Amino acid sequence: AVSFLIWLKQVYLWYFFISTSCVLSSMAMHSITADFIFLWRDAGETLALQPVVEHLISQHYTCTAIVTGHGTCPYNDDTPLPPYVTTLRHMGVNATHLEPLVNRSSRLPEDDITLLANHVHGKIVITGMVSAVQLQLSLALTSKQTVGYDDGFAVWNETAWPATFVQGRAVGTLYVTASMIAANASRLHPTLNVATVGSPTLESWVTATQNRSRLQLVRQAVFGNIQAPILAYYGGYGQGYKASVQLYAQLIRNLLARTKVHGAFLRHPGNFTDDVEKQIFLDYGVTDDITMVDRSYATADIAAVSNVSISQGSTVCVQALFIGKPGLFLSEAGEASTNVATQLGLLPETHTVEAASQEYAVFESDDFQFDRKRLDDSGIPTNSTQHIADRLIKLLTA
């Protein structure tokens, strides 16, 4: 009998512990109620939509941005957060399995999604469209309207992440950066509500690069007394990236054989290192000819103080056009760009060192100036921050 009573007491304590843990776990997640809930994963949508959030807040609307995992978003568990930004971990969700930066397909357990849905209440949800967790939350969160924002400049097909959101009916409205992308999305999904809204990042770049005195100080700090033209490469990740960096190293080496140039490398935002790139530059003998730029410098500033922007396919090269800086995509053969700027002939796509060298000669003959009037017919609206904010407020008050 005594043994039975001891066993019964242990069962009771175990039950009490489990029950209390579940209650405390639920209580640990504070509820969020806001006019607008933003779902961010990567640097692209974060930097594009952050000015919109701040504008809405200035107009006395409530906003919360949730960082949905360990992507390339500049905000994470280890960085200071603006008052309107939170992360899954800060909300009490274990997101450690989402840490691989290139793994966009990792999902949260359904219990966590349900818990978030019960505690996050937004009248309008605005999501980036680059990961499975964003897709899960877009479907789970209750709102008047869910808006998907595609911050890129690529014309996408049915296998792209934005198409996954549309096909899964996770978004009721789609915002895109350029009219060419909107036309393609409408062709693929005729009943979809699509709006061309541009990219607030472009406005941020123009504003940030207008102070010439400040930019001179940046160039001096980064490049010292180097007077040669600067060819800046903007880092990425994923398939074909290493080959692109190797082509860039060869391009610098080949150009140095006939003229004075200097390279610059800025790694991708997020928890990336530049160890692989450093080894590539060492292998091609150009270590002393390429400055490894500290990530504390703003991308817009580096583009502004450089002469040419180069990447595998980064939107940075498109953004640089808006501040008058020419650029090119450099990738291995077989990679075809669907970028709007490439299709409009504004941004050359090259697959060999020889082709990239020829484009460099054109840039040099134009004194490294890109005529921004060529952007007038690009179908990329200006004043995007106000434009997006006005549309969101209209949805809220409808």
Side-chain angles (χ1 to χ4, degrees), residues 39 125-129 131-141 143 145-149 161-174 192:
L39 305 177
V125 174
I126 306 95
T127 182
M129 299 188 292
S131 72
V133 174
Q134 287 171 313
L135 178 61
Q136 285 180 286
L137 289 173
S138 297
L139 289 167
L141 298 183
S143 64
Q145 180 76 266
T146 300
V147 178
Y149 179 65
W161 271 108
T164 303
F165 281 71
V166 174
Q167 293 162 359
R169 300 185 183 277
V171 297
T173 298
L174 177 67
L192 182 64

Side-chain angles (χ1 to χ4, degrees), residues 186-328:
S186 295
R187 180 183 61 81
L188 294 174
H189 305 277
T191 62
L192 182 64
N193 182 19
V194 185
T196 304
V197 298
S199 172
T201 306
L202 301 177
E203 301 164 30
S204 302
W205 273 52
V206 172
T207 301
T209 56
Q210 288 177 337
N211 188 332
R212 293 297 170 186
S213 298
R214 186 184 66 81
L215 291 176
Q216 287 176 359
L217 294 175
V218 172
R219 173 150 182 151
Q220 178 66 31
V222 178
F223 299 114
N225 296 321
I226 294 173
Q227 299 299 315
I230 305 294
L231 287 75
Y233 187 99
Y234 300 95
Y237 56 89
Q239 185 176 356
Y241 171 65
K242 184 176 179 180
S244 176
V245 177
Q246 290 171 332
L247 286 170
Y248 170 69
Q250 293 177 62
L251 174 64
I252 295 296
R253 186 176 65 183
N254 285 21
L255 289 175
L256 282 169
R258 63 176 179 81
T259 188
K260 291 183 178 180
V261 296
H262 189 77
F265 175 81
L266 185 64
R267 60 181 171 82
H268 195 284
N271 190 25
F272 289 93
T273 68
D274 50 20
D275 296 340
V276 172
E277 292 86 357
K278 285 179 179 177
Q279 186 60 52
I280 290 173
F281 300 151
L282 180 64
D283 293 343
Y284 284 91
V286 292
T287 297
D288 295 336
D289 304 297
I290 299 176
T291 297
M292 306 301 288
V293 181
D294 190 274
R295 189 60 254 188
S296 61
Y297 287 98
T299 305
D301 285 352
I302 300 304
V305 301
S306 301
N307 300 92
V308 178
S309 298
I310 301 175
S311 72
Q312 181 189 8
S314 171
T315 56
V316 170
C317 290
V318 181
Q319 292 158 350
L321 298 178
F322 281 77
I323 59 171
K325 297 292 181 175
L328 58 85

Side-chain angles (χ1 to χ4, degrees), residues 15-50:
Y15 177 77
F16 177 81
F17 174 77
I18 294 298
S19 300
T20 304
S21 298
C22 291
V23 171
L24 290 176
S25 176
S26 178
M27 290 174 62
M29 181 177 289
H30 65 281
S31 292
I32 296 174
T33 300
D35 295 322
F36 301 100
I37 297 291
F38 290 79
L39 305 177
W40 295 342
R41 181 192 186 272
D42 282 354
E45 71 238 27
T46 303
L47 297 177
L49 291 174
Q50 188 166 355

